[in-house]
Amino acid sequence: MQRTKAAIFIITGLICVGVLLYLLLPDRNQASLESVETTASVKHEQVENTVVTDDENKAAEEEVQIEVVEKNDHSITEEIKAKVREVVEGAIDLFKKDQRIVSIGDSLTEGVGDESENGGYVGILNNTFEDNDLNITIENFGKKGNRSDQLLKRLEKEDITSAIKEADIVLITIGANDIMKVLKSNFMNITMDLFDEEKVEYRKRLTAIFDKINDINPDTQIYLIGFYNPFEQHFSEVKELGMIIDKWNEAGKSLTEEYDNVSYIPTTDLFSQSPIDLLAEDEFHPNTSGYKLMAQRVLDYLKESNEETEINTADIES
């Protein structure tokens, strides 16, 4: 027991360091903006200091400048598109009818860590639907830091309720911050029992979330997306955190099996022993590559569910 407490204490320290690093990381976008503003200022001064003695020369120079700017703008635009627009291959004819999807939950739904600022796995799904000319709308209600109790309260909000009423599919990421709360609240006295006790409460709140969504729209299909172990790559020798995550994922998975319209989508295997880096600079959230794998996994499950629905419909019609 003492060894377990010591290991958990080490994990707590590592998590706190990771959170601090994430909060204290320099804002690269602001730095880039300042760089652009400085460059623009220099260019402006250079133009002001240029003496034009001939109207024809001035017109010619302006024409060249406009052409260069247009070419540069086009080049920059194409470069940005190539970098930030991520799509998942093989989604053509994924759905046979119009679909409305609502995504709710924590930072994994919001897309925190996606360096392309494209909205994480939800944004990648949206890009995929657009690029395959699928008439599917997806609304994102992700909120960084959300726990299951907070998500349950947010389901009372009119905008979320209205969206779920019209949704064919609801995607959920929730639970990681519930684990973090146990760590923060019991910083000096961490035991496995604390996580097991809170897991029971988490399952109750998750039940309330599923029931609430079904009350709002009993015809929707709900998917609970599991979470992964962000510390496995660098601290694989610390087994306790992996055990906690596995137990909480199993609690969520077993609960989904009690509902006809709720399914579980695992993600642990996607991030486990990956040959490429799938985490953002904070070493906690996925980067664009990680979110792309999540999007692909979600699409696989949606496609499978869609195919089963078509088969069941065909059986009924026959």
Side-chain angles (χ1 to χ4, degrees):
M1 178 63 71
Q2 293 299 324
R3 292 180 61 187
T4 299
K5 291 176 66 176
I8 298 294
F9 182 80
I10 291 173
I11 295 171
T12 304
L14 293 171
I15 291 175
C16 291
V17 170
V19 171
L20 287 173
L21 286 174
Y22 174 63
L23 293 175
L24 296 176
L25 281 173
D27 191 335
R28 293 189 173 186
N29 290 334
Q30 182 62 33
S32 299
L33 179 60
E34 291 174 355
S35 176
V36 170
E37 290 175 346
T38 301
T39 303
S41 177
V42 171
K43 293 292 184 182
H44 182 67
E45 290 177 1
Q46 290 175 348
V47 171
E48 285 185 340
N49 292 333
T50 301
V51 179
V52 180
T53 58
D54 186 89
D55 290 341
E56 293 182 357
N57 288 339
K58 181 178 180 180
E61 288 175 2
E62 289 178 349
E63 184 177 348
V64 171
Q65 288 177 350
I66 291 173
E67 183 178 355
V68 171
V69 169
E70 288 178 346
K71 288 183 177 179
N72 286 340
D73 285 347
H74 178 74
S75 176
I76 291 172
T77 300
E78 292 303 316
E79 183 179 352
I80 290 175
K81 283 184 177 180
K83 286 184 177 180
V84 306
R85 189 172 186 85
E86 289 284 344
V87 297
V88 176
E89 302 298 333
I92 298 177
D93 297 327
L94 181 62
F95 297 99
K96 303 300 182 183
K97 64 173 184 175
D98 297 346
Q99 295 271 357
R100 295 177 66 91
I101 300 176
V102 170
S103 55
I104 57 176
D106 50 29
S107 56
L108 294 181
T109 294
E110 184 178 337
V112 174
D114 181 0
E115 66 270 25
S116 72
E117 298 183 359
N118 202 34
Y121 91 89
V122 177
I124 294 171
L125 286 178
N126 192 50
N127 292 341
T128 301
F129 297 149
E130 289 180 355
D131 286 10
N132 286 284
D133 296 322
L134 297 172
N135 190 20
I136 301 174
T137 61
I138 181 166
E139 295 182 78
N140 191 337
F141 293 99
K143 187 174 182 180
K144 180 180 178 181
N146 249 199
R147 302 185 307 269
S148 56
D149 58 321
Q150 295 170 323
L151 177 59
L152 186 57
K153 291 180 180 179
R154 290 179 65 214
L155 289 178
E156 301 290 341
K157 291 189 174 183
E158 184 177 352
D159 57 342
I160 297 180
T161 300
S162 298
I164 291 176
K165 282 182 180 179
E166 304 298 325
D168 298 287
I169 295 169
V170 176
L171 304 173
I172 307 174
T173 63
I174 201 69
N177 292 304
D178 295 63
I179 294 177
M180 290 293 291
K181 183 181 178 181
V182 178
L183 289 168
K184 293 176 181 178
S185 301
N186 302 276
F187 186 79
M188 299 302 294
N189 188 30
I190 296 294
T191 65
M192 291 290 286
D193 290 341
L194 292 172
F195 291 97
D196 290 338
E197 292 170 4
E198 184 60 25
K199 180 188 66 180
V200 175
E201 299 304 314
Y202 164 68
R203 198 175 191 276
K204 291 179 181 178
R205 293 189 292 269
L206 202 55
T207 300
I209 289 172
F210 293 160
D211 290 344
K212 180 64 177 176
I213 294 173
N214 280 326
D215 286 342
I216 298 172
N217 182 357
D219 296 322
T220 193
Q221 181 69 30
I222 304 170
Y223 292 87
L224 175 66
I225 302 173
F227 35 88
Y228 55 91
N229 181 0
F231 299 105
E232 182 177 19
Q233 181 177 355
H234 299 293
F235 305 100
S236 58
E237 70 279 2
V238 183
K239 305 297 183 183
E240 286 79 5
L241 186 57
M243 292 169 58
I244 293 168
I245 291 174
D246 288 343
K247 287 183 177 180
W248 281 55
N249 272 328
E250 180 55 36
K253 181 177 183 295
S254 64
L255 179 61
T256 64
E257 295 170 353
E258 298 179 10
Y259 293 80
D260 292 334
N261 67 325
V262 185
S263 301
Y264 177 79
I265 302 179
T267 63
T268 301
D269 60 306
L270 299 178
F271 293 83
S272 179
Q273 299 178 348
S274 172
I276 62 174
D277 189 7
L278 299 176
L279 297 181
E281 290 183 347
D282 62 9
E283 294 294 335
F284 191 83
H285 295 94
N287 56 22
T288 302
S289 297
Y291 278 122
K292 188 170 185 178
L293 287 180
M294 287 181 63
Q296 179 66 68
R297 176 60 57 81
V298 171
L299 280 177
D300 289 342
Y301 273 75
L302 295 184
K303 182 177 181 179
E304 180 179 338
S305 177
N306 187 68
E307 290 173 348
E308 290 177 356
T309 301
E310 288 181 358
I311 292 174
N312 293 334
T313 302
D315 291 340
I316 294 173
E317 291 176 349
S318 61

